[in-house]
Amino acid sequence: MRVIIDTDPGIDDVVTLALAAKSPELDLAAVITTYGNSTLENCTRNARIVLELAGRPDIPVSPGSDRPLSRPLITAPETHGTSGVGYAQVPPAEPVTPQPEVLLELLSQQSAPVILITLGPLTNLARAVLRDAKLVKSKIRRHLGMFGNLRERGNTNRWADFNAWADPEAADTVLKAGLPTTMVGLDATRRFTLSRTEVERLARSQDPLVSWLAEALRFYVEFHRRQERLDGCVVNDVLTVGELLSPGLLRTKRVLLEVDLDEGEHRGHTKERDGGSPVDVAIDVDVPRMKTLLRRVFADL
Ligand code: BDR
Ligand code: CA
C-alpha cells in the first residue's frame, strides 16, 4: 500500500506517524506537513524527529502550507504545547520555506494511484484540488482524513473539530471535489483513548521512541483533564492508519455532507444535508483491535 501522510504534528499525529513507520504493510512514500496544532516550522521538525526515532529517517518530510486558504493562522498550544509535542524534548525548529503546491508535485510523480491520509487542516489537499482537480482525482485512490464530526460534540467550539474549524474553506473544497474520502471524525475517534495509567506505564519504557512519545502524551493527558475531566487522552489521528492496517476497524455510513463556512459558532461544523457531498463517515471503532495495532509502537500497552 503506497501511502502519503499529510500531517500537523501534534501529539496524536506523532503517535500515528510512529505506527505508520512501524508497519511494514505500508510503503510510506512521503510525509508532508502543514500548520495546525503548531506552526509549520514546529510541525515539520516534529515529523522528522519522530520518524528518526522510529528508525525511518529515510522517509522524506516536506513542508506544505503555513496558513489556511483565507482565514488567519491560529494554532493550538494549549492542546499540544508550544512545540506541538507537549513535554517531549525537541531542538529549536529550523526555518522552512512553505511549499503550498507540494502535494500536487508529489502526486504528479506517482506512477500509480496512492492512498492519502490527512491528519491536519485540509489546506494542502484543497490547494492541490484548486490547482488540478483532475490530476488529484486520478492519483488518489483513497483518502482517509481525520476531520469533522456528525453527532459528537466539537472539540474547538461546540460544533466543530479542530481540523475542519482551522480551514473550513479547505474542507469544503475537498468535500466538493468528489474524492473517495472517508471522514474519520470525532464520532469514532473520541471512543479511542489512552488512560493516564497507561501513559505513566509507557513513560517508564527503555525504548527512546516510546519514552519520547510518553512525554508528549503526558502533556495531552493534562490537557484532557483540564478541558473535560477525562483521566486519559483521545488519540484521534491514529484511527486512519488503523483502518488501513486492519480494514473494517471502523464502522462507516454513507452521508451527504456539507461544512459550515460561518464566521461564528458553527464555523467548521460538518453536517448532514440534502445536496451535500456523498462521503463515508466513521461512526464507530473496534477499540481492542486498535489497541492491538498500537502495540507495534507501544509493546507494553
Ligand atoms: C484533530 O485536531 C488536532 O488537535 C488533532 O491532532 C486531530 O488531528 C482533532 O480534532
Ligand atoms: Ca492532527
Side-chain angles (χ1 to χ4, degrees), residues 7-18 34-39 42-47 50 76 79-86 119-120 162 212-213 216-217 220 235 237:
T7 176
D8 64 331
I11 296 171
D12 50 338
D13 302 74
V14 283
V15 174
T16 310
L17 287 171
T34 175
Y35 73 89
N37 291 322
S38 193
T39 59
N42 285 345
C43 291
T44 305
R45 171 202 55 203
N46 300 343
V50 73
T79 312
H80 295 267
T82 38
S83 70
V85 283
L119 306 176
F162 178 75
W212 187 84
L213 290 171
L217 287 164
Y220 213 28
V235 194
D237 291 339

Side-chain angles (χ1 to χ4, degrees), residues 11 15 29 47 53 58 99-101 124-125 129 140 144 146 169 185 201 224 252 294:
I11 296 171
V15 174
L53 284 166
D58 54 302
Q99 304 171 62
E101 304 279 308
N124 288 329
L125 178 53
V129 166
I140 295 181
L144 286 151
M146 193 288 133
E169 285 73 21
R201 193 175 338 129
H224 282 84
T252 61
L294 211 47

Side-chain angles (χ1 to χ4, degrees), residues 73-204:
L73 171 68
I74 299 177
T75 58
E78 65 296 339
T79 312
H80 295 267
T82 38
S83 70
V85 283
Y87 297 126
Q89 290 291 316
V90 285
E94 283 170 15
V96 296
T97 308
Q99 304 171 62
E101 304 279 308
V102 71
L103 181 58
L104 198 63
E105 278 166 32
L106 260 172
L107 289 175
S108 58
Q109 291 159 11
Q110 303 302 314
S111 53
V114 298
I115 298 169
L116 175 71
I117 293 188
T118 57
L119 306 176
L122 291 149
T123 319
N124 288 329
L125 178 53
R127 283 198 179 279
V129 166
L130 291 170
R131 196 59 196 272
D132 192 343
K134 204 167 152 215
L135 182 128
V136 172
K137 285 174 86 166
S138 70
K139 296 290 187 180
I140 295 181
R141 69 179 171 94
R142 188 165 186 205
H143 168 221
L144 286 151
M146 193 288 133
F147 68 98
N149 55 313
L150 272 188
R151 313 250 173 279
E152 185 64 43
R153 195 187 163 88
N155 63 0
T156 300
N157 59 29
R158 163 73 184 82
W159 303 101
D161 119 89
F162 178 75
N163 291 339
W165 177 89
D167 194 347
E169 285 73 21
D172 181 56
T173 304
V174 169
L175 287 180
K176 288 180 176 155
L179 296 168
T181 293
T182 302
M183 180 178 105
V184 186
L186 300 177
D187 304 275
T189 68
R190 284 212 53 100
R191 294 166 195 245
F192 187 69
T193 56
L194 291 181
S195 71
R196 182 173 46 84
T197 329
E198 284 171 326
V199 171
E200 282 168 3
R201 193 175 338 129
L202 297 177
R204 294 194 286 273

Side-chain angles (χ1 to χ4, degrees), residues 12 35 43 47 60 67 69 79 173 225 227 229 291 295:
D12 50 338
Y35 73 89
C43 291
R67 67 196 66 192
L69 291 180
T79 312
T173 304
R225 186 169 44 205
Q227 186 72 9
R229 298 210 187 96
K291 231 173 207 172
R295 291 199 179 97

